[in-house]
Amino acid sequence: GAMSYGATEGYQPLREQLTAFMAAKGVQGLSPEQLVVTTGSQQGLDLLGKTLVSPGDKVIVEGPTFLATIQCFRLYGAELVSAPIDGDGVQVDRLEQLIVEHKPKFVYLIPTFGNPSGATLSLERRKRVLELAVKHQTLIVEDDPYGDLYFGEAPPPSLLALSEQVPGSRDCLVHCGSLSKTLSAGFRLGWMIAPPELLAKAVMCKQFSDANSSTFAQATVAQYLKAGRMAANLQRARAVYAERAQAMCDGLRSALGDAVEFVQPRGGLFVWARLTGARGQVQDSQVFAQR
């Protein structure tokens, strides 16, 4: 069966395991039928572009945000509007102003360990984002490929997990997850959780895109998750990335001093540094890179 075509929605045992995986992270009331397996989380974003965006539509994104997202949504004709962020994520007051002004088709956020900002949306702001979604009936797309890679204290619950606390917000929310950063990028497996009507349209688009994500990869991951191996794997990954992040930040401070400023990441893969204009003495000519 693992060598055969599969359902476009995804291999059922994997959908069940992913539902349990999300439940362990506080997402209650989720059924496998509310989830579609995608070929990486980027396919989920592409499906959103196909199903939601028409030329000239406004889409609000964080500034800065994931480059591939910018390219994807622009490909379908979206006009992107940038919402400012700080160390606690998107500035919610400004976000509401932009929603009222532009009436976007949706708002795209990476609330936890943002790419490339490294910022994490605070718990208070997460609840306010959900309240804004209900108030203005605006779709919020939560991209969460890095949320399990925290250093030390866990981040606030996902918007999806918090949606139970804000009545009506689940109907205004899309959640995209991925195994690329936590298990294996080569499996190319992610998932999307969305309101039923939108999910049905996304499945239809996926049928013409790739018929189904690799059944063999899905069966492999389903067995891996069923065997309970993910928890130990995540512990190892967190330790490795925490060490790398500390080395990165120490190197930036040592080499560039007050010539740059950045938020010390609490998880994820990214540090976003800004030039301050200070005439600090650069100690090393080495070019630093992400990770």
Side-chain angles (χ1 to χ4, degrees), residues 155-174:
S158 66
L159 295 177
L160 186 64
L162 290 170
S163 62
E164 280 199 354
Q165 300 181 25
V166 182
S169 61
R170 180 71 69 93
D171 296 332
C172 301
L173 187 61
V174 174

Side-chain angles (χ1 to χ4, degrees), residues 3-291:
M3 297 296 182
S4 301
Y5 287 114
T8 302
E9 294 86 347
Y11 181 61
Q12 187 64 16
L14 178 59
R15 296 171 82 193
E16 292 169 358
Q17 289 298 322
L18 290 174
T19 300
F21 183 65
M22 296 300 295
K25 297 195 289 184
V27 179
Q28 303 302 317
L30 182 68
S31 69
E33 289 67 38
Q34 295 172 296
L35 177 153
V36 60
V37 177
T38 57
T39 304
S41 62
Q42 285 186 221
Q43 185 184 45
L45 301 177
D46 181 65
L47 293 174
L48 290 173
K50 286 179 178 178
T51 56
L52 293 176
V53 177
S54 298
D57 283 343
K58 303 287 185 68
V59 174
I60 295 177
V61 300
E62 295 162 305
T65 195
F66 183 31
L67 178 60
T69 300
I70 295 173
Q71 295 170 331
C72 173
F73 295 157
R74 282 181 174 167
L75 177 66
Y76 294 110
E79 180 181 336
L80 301 186
V81 178
S82 181
I85 66 171
D86 55 30
D88 289 322
V90 70
Q91 298 176 16
V92 183
D93 290 341
R94 182 63 181 135
L95 175 62
E96 182 170 24
Q97 292 173 357
L98 292 173
I99 290 173
V100 171
E101 179 181 355
H102 295 284
K103 297 178 174 57
K105 187 59 68 78
F106 58 87
V107 176
Y108 171 79
L109 302 175
I110 308 176
T112 309
F113 314 137
N115 177 357
S117 69
T120 296
L121 192 65
S122 68
L123 178 60
E124 179 185 358
R125 290 188 184 184
R126 288 173 192 245
K127 292 179 180 178
R128 289 195 59 200
V129 165
L130 293 173
E131 290 166 355
L132 289 181
V134 176
K135 177 181 177 181
H136 299 286
Q137 288 298 289
T138 300
L139 186 68
I140 304 293
V141 176
E142 177 182 36
D143 196 4
D144 188 29
Y146 317 107
D148 289 310
L149 295 177
Y150 52 85
F151 315 147
E153 185 180 353
S158 66
L159 295 177
L160 186 64
L162 290 170
S163 62
E164 280 199 354
Q165 300 181 25
V166 182
S169 61
R170 180 71 69 93
D171 296 332
C172 301
L173 187 61
V174 174
H175 179 94
C176 295
S178 174
L179 295 170
S180 293
K181 308 302 186 293
T182 55
L183 183 56
S184 169
F187 279 136
R188 301 309 306 133
L189 289 179
W191 63 93
M192 182 169 70
I193 299 163
E197 184 177 352
L198 175 55
L199 200 66
K201 292 179 180 179
V203 170
M204 186 178 298
C205 287
K206 181 174 167 59
Q207 287 176 341
F208 294 101
S209 176
D210 63 2
N212 61 273
S213 301
S214 166
T215 310
F216 184 78
Q218 291 186 71
T220 303
V221 172
Q223 181 62 28
Y224 183 90
L225 293 175
K226 183 179 180 180
R229 296 177 178 269
M230 191 61 159
N233 175 64
L234 287 175
Q235 285 186 343
R236 289 192 296 270
R238 289 164 187 153
V240 168
Y241 283 120
E243 183 179 357
R244 293 180 182 181
Q246 191 61 55
M248 177 69 177
C249 293
D250 290 346
L252 284 171
R253 294 186 183 99
S254 174
L256 301 177
D258 60 358
V260 295
E261 61 182 13
F262 57 89
V263 175
Q264 178 87 21
R266 292 182 284 157
L269 305 178
F270 305 99
V271 177
W272 180 259
R274 299 179 182 273
L275 301 176
T276 64
R279 294 175 177 267
Q281 179 68 34
V282 176
Q283 302 295 330
D284 193 333
S285 61
Q286 178 182 0
V287 176
F288 290 91
Q290 293 174 157
R291 307 186 191 178

